[in-house]
Amino acid sequence: MDAANTILQNDEVYTLKSTARYAAPVVDCANYYRALHEAIEKAQRSIFIVGWDIDSRVRLLRGEEEKASELPSVISELINLKASENPDLRVYLLRWDSSLAFFGMREIWAKEVWDEKTPENVHTVLDGSIPMGGSQHQKIVIIDDELAFSGGMDVAVHRWDTREHRLVEPERDDGDGSYGPFHDVQVAVSGPIVKELSKLVRWRWNRLVDETQQITESTEQRHPDNTDQLPNCWPQSVKPLLENIDCAVSQTIPFMDDVEPVQEVRKMLLALIEQAEEFIYIENQFANRGEIAEALNRRLKACPKLRVLIVSSYQPKGTMETEAYWAGRIDFKRILENGIEDERVLVAYSGSTNKEGVEGQKRVHAKVMVIDDAYFVIGSSNLSNRSMSLDTECDLTFVASTEKHREQIAWFRNDLISEHAGWSVEDVQSFIDGENTFKQLTQCKEKYAYCLHEADDKIFTDQSLQQLLTPIGDPQEPIVPSIPLFNGKRLSIPNPSKRGLVITATIVIIALLVGGGYLLSQNVDWMSKDHLQALLESLRDSPWAIIAVCGIYIIAGILFFPVTVLSLAVAMVFGAVWGVIYGMAGVMASTAVLFFFGHLIGDKGLRSFIGPKINKIDKKFAENGIFGVAVIRMIPIAPFSLVNLVAGISSIKLVYFLAGTFLGMLPPMIIKGVVGGSIADIIRDPTPKHIGLLVGGLVAWILLAYGSQKLVNYFQNTRGKSKNLEQSATEVHEQV
């Protein structure tokens, strides 16, 4: 069978075809992250990373390697160092803008995080153009336009693991708790194929940015394609497996406003299945696409010698995954096995039990298909509905043209099966060549080794929710259909951005708190101004008055009750002098309590939730200190309680925050005392004097707000000029 002529002549199954001078599958994330660290270390001109996620917190090295490395292990620190040392290095990070479904797993303010942690030659874009329900699922890295990685691996949390997949592994913890064994596959390539992937990545970038951010550099490689040497940036830990092998890049691209849909991945996988004669090996996170199962079943019936082995995950995570994917795998398996002898098909997972009796299974995230010893695919695509039509995907298909290629492809397949089944590579090949292949593969060679077990998904679901949740969890089309326009085109509705969702949710929460406080004050007797005033009047002559007032302020602060209304009520009851004293005591007590409450929330996760926004508040407090707090208090730009909570999350010290609050709240509190006392006096005795005090207090209140704003503007302008003068002096000094 001339594999190259069979597949690569069909231009409907790929975006482009080319040749890999060198190609090396990289198995499991410990190996990939190490290789990525080495490649970034050697980068001289450019780094492109396209991913479902690019998490700034991920440690690329672990254990002794991390301790021994002279360079940072955390990817953001590594890129920051490289970009700072080499201003000519350009780094481009293209990450999916995410979905509400992954709210707790990913950095919410991803762009701001990267912008804050790296210099100006590191550029970040969030892809929010994918239709609603879809995702940016390609995982591509390109270094200096000479080396490319592509496959199933992202720079994301809960991915790192070694090929041993120990059931208890301390390094499988990204700071938010441990996770189980995790398996994945990437491929490293060099040669002409990298030029084509470079063009693809640049196209992805340029369609998302304005003209000022377009990438126009030449994609010419400085490393000649015809040399036998590896590129300078090739990772030292990766040994090439194949040389001069033909390959093709297949994509899934959903319909977007400026792009016509592409379903090359789907067509390529179906075409490859039609080439199979003896053995198909598949590793995939999901296997629920009925069309793929039907194609496999047809080919099994057409080729009596053909066998199919699929290795996937075992335990689902959550109801959505259970009903959208595991329930679908029940149907997939039923279609696949229909009319086929049991020994010819196996859908399995890899599990183990250690000496301590701990049981576990690998979470398979790889997307691999090997057809006989003629073709293999390493990509980002799952055997799911969304990967065939709705997500953006990128698969690389390698095509054998020599006997050596075939031997190497067979070895790669057997090496993967060996990891899952616990048998040697040689044993695996003998089982494939012999009879009862799957019966032998599923026998455990060693008591504590990983073994293959047939998957039985019916223990997880009765499929009762499958029809309801599959269109949401694994849709073939956008959840919200595109809108037809008058010019005959259609407008796609993208996913709402995570940043927009957070901002909207924050505004809604604040509005509900403020509005709820107002409604309570209007409709609940004990929360009304009259009730509060009556309560305060009952305490007027009590020795516990100041303690009671502080307690009321604390409760009102927690309920986001307007502090101005409360302060006026206190002044009306206790008068202009004692009203100010008691009011300031209550303000300081409420401030301290909510500060500590905000600090507690921050320690439990609110800081990571808000992200760099908190860092910016930190910077404001650090630059302005007590004065900055005082200005915020005099100019009510945010609710009193919200400012207290945010301050607790920031790095400002309580003593400074209280001092700034005292200085900022005292002037308006004095005016509120005058106004509140005047209102009480007018109620009792509406004389011209009392009316004049009221009018004067209101005017003073307005002038205070206006004057505070002017003072802030003057301060900021003066400070800005000073910084510019300081910067200019520094530049002159450097030139001299």
Side-chain angles (χ1 to χ4, degrees), residues 550-565:
C550 289
I552 292 172
Y553 265 91
I554 290 171
I555 295 172
I558 294 172
L559 296 174
F560 271 64
F561 187 85
V563 69
T564 297
V565 174

Side-chain angles (χ1 to χ4, degrees), residues 278-279 307 370 372-373 406-418 421 423-435 437 440-441:
E278 295 185 356
F279 201 87
R307 289 148 296 164
V370 184
D372 296 325
D373 56 3
R406 295 177 183 277
E407 294 174 0
Q408 292 162 330
I409 291 174
W411 182 90
F412 167 58
R413 174 198 65 202
N414 297 341
D415 182 55
L416 289 175
I417 298 174
S418 171
W423 295 94
S424 69
V425 170
E426 292 74 23
D427 287 335
V428 171
Q429 184 61 57
S430 68
F431 296 159
I432 292 175
D433 291 338
E435 301 292 329
T437 299
Q440 296 184 77
L441 278 176

Side-chain angles (χ1 to χ4, degrees), residues 27 30 113 239 341 573:
V27 183
V113 167
K239 182 179 179 181
E341 300 88 340
V573 172

Side-chain angles (χ1 to χ4, degrees), residues 370-441:
V370 184
I371 306 295
D372 296 325
D373 56 3
Y375 310 91
F376 74 93
V377 179
I378 297 177
S380 64
S381 305
N382 292 308
L383 301 185
S384 61
N385 295 324
R386 61 185 314 121
S387 284
M388 299 300 118
S389 59
L390 187 56
D391 293 345
T392 57
E393 304 284 7
C394 179
D395 288 6
L396 267 65
T397 300
F398 296 86
V399 182
S401 58
T402 67
E403 189 60 33
K404 188 174 183 179
H405 286 162
R406 295 177 183 277
E407 294 174 0
Q408 292 162 330
I409 291 174
W411 182 90
F412 167 58
R413 174 198 65 202
N414 297 341
D415 182 55
L416 289 175
I417 298 174
S418 171
E419 178 185 309
H420 299 312
W423 295 94
S424 69
V425 170
E426 292 74 23
D427 287 335
V428 171
Q429 184 61 57
S430 68
F431 296 159
I432 292 175
D433 291 338
E435 301 292 329
N436 299 318
T437 299
F438 299 144
K439 183 177 181 180
Q440 296 184 77
L441 278 176

Side-chain angles (χ1 to χ4, degrees), residues 120-140:
E120 293 183 355
N121 50 335
V122 179
H123 311 276
T124 306
V125 164
L126 304 183
D127 190 348
S129 67
I130 312 301
M132 190 174 296
S135 72
Q136 195 307 104
H137 205 240
Q138 296 174 338
K139 302 98 164 43
I140 307 171

Side-chain angles (χ1 to χ4, degrees), residues 67-79:
K67 295 177 182 177
S69 176
E70 296 180 358
L71 295 179
S73 170
V74 177
I75 187 169
S76 57
E77 297 175 7
L78 177 63
I79 288 179

